[in-house]
Amino acid sequence: MNSYAVTEKNSRARAIAEPKSPLRNDFQRDRDRIIHSAAFRRLMYKTQVFVNHEGDMFRTRLSHSLEVAQISRGISRSMEINEDLAETIALAHDLGHTPFGHAGQDALNHCMKNYGGFEHNLQSLRVVDLLEKRYANFDGLNLTFESREGILKHCSLKNARLLGELGQRFIEKKQTSLEAQVVDLSDAIAYNMHDLDDGYRSNILDLDSLNEIEFFSECHDEVVSSGLIKDQQIVVNETIRLMTYRLIDDVTKTSLELIKTNKISDIKDVRNFGKNLVQFSEPLDIKLKGCQKKLRESLYTHNRIEMMSKKAHSVIESLFNYYINKTELVPDNYLIADNIERSVADYIAGMTDRFALKIFETIEK
Ligand code: MG
């Protein structure tokens, strides 16, 4: 591994010391704890963009997280940094997501507006630090500092002050590890690329509208110019595959170049560098933004998705009001927050789409 990678040696370790495993390094252990967690299993039934029951072919939070992990590992391997840590952060990065995707989070944030708000990023940390109950000696998963730090991608200054050592970097304006930075951009690569794919297969985005994206159309022309592929779905697959490759290749080369020119030699240099070292080149950054713009205009705001968002709002609000008045129905393991509103939010955030809908239907009866 390169000298600027996070290692067991330079790690700030776990909050509660544990004996070393003879078989796995600390970051592999973190990863395994995440995979064994209940919150991770529930990602299978949580919306990414399309609600779970819209169809079995679309991405869920779980398949999204696996794609992010896959991309993060590939980039980390090429950069010779800590692949295990990157994988861990990627698998955990969306653990705090509510049912029904971003609409669910907005609704829960609205319900919690007088009680400290709700933010999925902070919630992911809450899941691994507190809400998972599996081990005799501690609540949560007792992950290493670096895994926890990577999960907390952003955070308000107000919340940072409550987080002690982990919040320090937001106050001091320092950077996170390269591994966490890799996951952040891998997340962007994964969701942009798979949303184009899901958008196409859902018939919301047709080939003409995909070709309005400059990056797509360039890669599409390259794929078509071979003259070999007749099937349109395969052409789209190959185009997205080529785009994904270009993004991964670009971020790897650009970041390694930045590290070299700025003579970054250890994790301290990474943290003290004024901005992220893992970056796309400017041309690719512009191209990716072009994809984002199109997805915003044509997919995320499409009728079918908006209808789901509206429904999500009423489901979450109604669950919230229901449990606030019937706190005896909130399972004991959630009744650990400072106030009942937070306990209810923790419980609702942990629900899968289908479980939330099932409860909603019984309340409405
Ligand atoms: Mg994500």
Side-chain angles (χ1 to χ4, degrees):
M1 266 193 287
N2 271 319
S3 57
Y4 37 76
V6 170
T7 60
E8 282 186 299
K9 244 192 173 152
N10 65 33
S11 164
R12 288 195 235 168
R14 304 179 192 283
I16 299 163
E18 292 181 54
K20 290 266 177 203
S21 157
L23 299 173
R24 296 165 297 164
N25 70 44
D26 284 341
F27 309 105
Q28 290 168 336
R29 267 180 117 179
D30 281 2
R31 175 203 56 207
D32 296 352
R33 287 177 186 192
I34 288 156
I35 290 179
H36 290 295
S37 71
F40 184 73
R41 285 194 296 280
R42 288 196 298 254
L43 293 178
M44 192 185 331
Y45 300 104
K46 287 193 175 196
T47 295
Q48 180 67 27
V49 172
F50 293 89
V51 253
N52 198 230
H53 58 258
E54 276 248 3
D56 293 343
M57 301 183 319
F58 302 124
R59 265 70 174 188
T60 65
R61 284 270 161 219
L62 181 63
S63 63
H64 163 72
S65 301
L66 295 174
E67 289 185 37
V68 178
Q70 159 97 339
I71 295 170
S72 302
R73 287 184 56 178
I75 297 172
S76 300
R77 202 176 312 135
S78 308
M79 290 178 66
E80 293 181 64
I81 56 176
N82 193 331
E83 195 178 321
D84 295 322
L85 173 61
E87 182 182 18
T88 301
I89 297 169
L91 293 174
H93 87 284
D94 273 352
L95 286 178
H97 263 288
T98 60
F100 316 119
H102 282 280
Q105 125 134 5
D106 292 348
L108 198 52
N109 187 29
H110 180 74
C111 296
M112 288 294 286
K113 69 175 188 293
N114 296 325
Y115 316 102
F118 178 89
E119 206 269 301
H120 71 86
N121 219 234
L122 204 57
Q123 191 67 12
S124 298
L125 186 69
R126 221 173 138 70
V127 169
V128 300
D129 277 0
L130 192 69
L131 296 175
E132 278 292 321
K133 304 243 184 280
R134 298 183 57 80
Y135 302 99
N137 295 337
F138 42 80
D139 284 342
L141 306 177
N142 195 31
L143 302 181
T144 58
F145 178 88
E146 289 73 17
S147 295
R148 297 172 59 234
E149 170 198 54
I151 291 168
L152 192 66
K153 194 166 82 177
H154 31 239
C155 170
S156 66
L157 274 182
K158 194 172 132 231
N159 283 326
R161 288 194 193 96
L162 304 171
L163 288 170
E165 202 191 358
L166 202 69
Q168 213 52 31
R169 82 176 154 95
F170 299 99
I171 297 162
E172 293 171 6
K173 297 203 167 26
K174 293 209 169 153
Q175 309 308 309
T176 181
S177 67
L178 290 173
E179 289 80 359
Q181 295 180 31
V182 164
V183 175
D184 192 16
L185 293 200
S186 300
D187 188 20
I189 296 174
Y191 77 73
N192 279 290
M193 295 301 106
H194 65 49
D195 288 352
L196 291 177
D197 184 48
D198 279 354
Y200 178 73
R201 282 182 305 103
S202 66
N203 294 321
I204 292 179
L205 299 173
D206 60 14
L207 194 57
D208 286 343
S209 58
L210 286 174
N211 267 316
E212 285 165 18
I213 304 167
E214 193 194 317
F215 186 25
F216 184 95
S217 116
E218 274 170 27
C219 292
H220 179 257
D221 290 350
E222 255 182 77
V223 168
V224 170
S225 70
S226 73
L228 295 169
I229 315 167
K230 301 281 175 270
D231 183 296
Q232 194 174 297
Q233 178 68 59
I234 304 275
V235 170
V236 172
N237 291 352
E238 286 287 349
T239 304
I240 294 173
R241 178 183 175 202
L242 182 59
M243 294 164 79
T244 309
Y245 165 75
R246 293 265 150 88
L247 289 164
I248 291 174
D249 186 54
D250 180 85
V251 80
T252 309
K253 286 181 182 150
T254 308
S255 310
L256 283 173
E257 190 56 38
L258 261 176
I259 287 169
K260 199 172 138 200
T261 47
N262 290 288
K263 301 191 174 58
I264 302 297
S265 67
D266 58 22
I267 178 83
K268 254 201 204 134
D269 292 344
V270 172
R271 291 190 186 286
N272 292 330
F273 194 68
K275 55 181 182 183
N276 279 355
L277 284 151
V278 179
Q279 289 187 27
F280 293 112
S281 67
E282 215 186 320
L284 262 276
D285 192 46
I286 292 169
K287 285 179 186 183
L288 190 62
K289 290 208 170 95
C291 297
Q292 263 159 0
K293 186 165 173 275
K294 181 72 187 166
L295 286 166
R296 229 181 3 251
E297 288 168 359
S298 304
L299 181 68
Y300 305 145
T301 48
H302 188 271
N303 261 348
R304 246 166 88 187
I305 308 292
E306 294 253 287
M307 263 162 59
M308 182 281 275
S309 304
K310 278 203 187 111
K311 170 110 190 199
H313 270 268
S314 58
V315 172
I316 298 283
E317 259 182 49
S318 132
L319 289 184
F320 189 81
N321 295 330
Y322 177 71
Y323 285 110
I324 286 292
N325 293 311
K326 284 197 187 306
T327 50
E328 68 278 10
L329 296 179
V330 177
D332 282 352
N333 53 328
Y334 288 99
L335 296 171
I336 46 168
D338 298 340
N339 53 61
I340 189 64
E341 291 82 8
R342 182 63 57 195
S343 293
V344 170
D346 284 340
Y347 182 40
I348 295 175
M351 291 178 182
T352 59
D353 293 2
R354 58 183 190 178
F355 184 75
L357 279 173
K358 203 173 96 190
I359 305 279
F360 175 71
E361 277 153 22
T362 54
I363 301 172
E364 293 298 289
K365 265 182 198 158

